[in-house]
Amino acid sequence: PSDGRIPALTPEGRARQAAANAAFQRPSQAADVGNALRCVSWGVPRLGGRYGAGDMSYYQIFQSPGFVVLYMEAGHEARIIPIDGTPHLRSAIRQWNGDSRGRWDGNTLVVETTNFSAKSYFMGATENLKVVERFTRVAPDTIHYEMTLTDPTTWTRPWTAMMPLRQRKETLYEFACHEGNY
């Protein structure tokens, strides 16, 4: 955001975040613990890394006819994003990582994700979250990655964040997540 701060949470967003924090501190059931710690999913969007030197994670991006795939080493998840004009799923169909659809705008891949499950959780946002991601190659080894997040039940206004994705030659390895791995 222009002021460098994520917008304030709405009252509903504050209540949801407080409940999630309380459940995390004293979970009464497995479902009270976040999706990432339960090895269900680390969610969309993926901001930076969680493990490794310098808190890095590696991503592999590849395209086939009609699809772009974003493969994440940490959590070993693959987002398969149609870019063939297929419409979003009906709003009644909700998924852990939402329903992503991509399109090319010049040399920028634009990915819009909606239809998040109420069990999804990104910084307090759940089923009302809409994410628009933009991937633009700005140099032979650098992609400008920008995401705009909108959820009027969580934040007082939409906000945008950006980070560069730099090409590396390292090998991606399987990341095994073990539920309950304390």
Side-chain angles (χ1 to χ4, degrees):
S2 59
D3 64 1
R5 299 184 184 277
I6 295 172
L9 292 170
T10 63
E12 182 181 344
R14 281 193 304 273
R16 198 169 41 246
Q17 196 164 58
N21 289 342
F24 181 78
Q25 297 299 320
R26 290 201 166 88
S28 61
Q29 58 183 347
D32 290 342
V33 179
N35 297 340
L37 290 177
R38 290 176 35 228
C39 300
V40 174
S41 172
W42 287 8
V44 171
R46 296 282 286 272
L47 294 170
R50 294 180 188 235
Y51 299 100
D55 199 35
M56 296 173 65
S57 277
Y58 295 106
Y59 303 82
Q60 184 175 14
I61 301 171
F62 51 96
Q63 181 176 346
S64 67
F67 297 92
V68 169
V69 178
L70 304 178
Y71 176 75
M72 293 78 158
E73 180 180 43
H76 59 274
E77 289 185 286
R79 281 176 69 193
I80 302 171
I81 302 165
I83 57 171
D84 61 359
T86 303
H88 278 285
L89 298 172
R90 292 180 295 117
S91 62
I93 300 174
R94 301 295 176 144
Q95 300 182 89
W96 290 107
N97 289 332
D99 177 46
S100 297
R101 295 293 184 258
R103 62 180 168 77
W104 288 100
D105 181 10
N107 66 343
T108 299
L109 173 64
V110 180
V111 179
E112 180 179 292
T113 306
T114 61
N115 296 25
F116 287 92
S117 164
K119 295 178 181 179
S120 301
Y121 188 85
F122 178 80
M123 296 180 66
T126 58
E127 72 270 12
N128 298 306
L129 179 61
K130 177 181 175 183
V131 179
V132 177
E133 299 164 287
R134 296 179 182 281
F135 299 83
T136 307
R137 184 176 294 277
V138 294
D141 66 346
T142 306
I143 292 175
H144 176 99
Y145 174 48
E146 179 180 294
M147 69 211 80
T148 299
L149 300 107
T150 304
D151 181 349
T153 64
T154 301
W155 299 290
T156 56
R157 62 181 167 30
W159 58 282
T160 300
M162 189 285 294
M163 64 188 238
L165 301 177
R166 291 199 171 82
Q167 184 177 19
R168 302 284 189 247
K169 301 294 182 191
E170 284 79 5
T171 302
L172 270 70
Y173 293 98
E174 178 184 3
F175 178 93
C177 188
H178 302 284
E179 184 176 348
N181 182 14
Y182 300 104

